[in-house]
Amino acid sequence: GGGCSAPVPGISGGGNVCNGQPVTLTASGCSGTYRWSNGTNGTASITVGAGTYSVTCEQGGCTSGASAQVTVT
């Protein structure tokens, strides 16, 4: 429906995995629920291995577009 919007989250972290150690990605800018592309919901920070990740914001019954993608290699 019209008039429904949620802020697109910012995302930080990522980059290179050092010796297979996981890295932490942190989302910001959403006062609702973060929904990560790997299936993790409700937390602003996730610890991940190699892959490509993005995050959306669910707020007030609305879901934002996806954040920028971060690739962890």
Side-chain angles (χ1 to χ4, degrees):
C4 190
S5 65
V8 176
I11 188 170
S12 60
N16 296 326
V17 176
C18 181
N19 299 323
Q21 296 299 307
V23 299
T24 298
L25 305 180
T26 303
S28 59
C30 173
S31 61
T33 301
Y34 293 109
R35 295 194 178 277
W36 292 89
S37 57
N38 69 347
T40 301
N41 293 333
T43 178
S45 295
I46 60 171
T47 301
V48 297
T52 300
Y53 305 90
S54 61
V55 60
T56 62
C57 173
E58 188 173 290
Q59 182 176 313
C62 308
T63 302
S64 74
S67 70
Q69 288 190 328
V70 168
T71 299
V72 178
T73 55

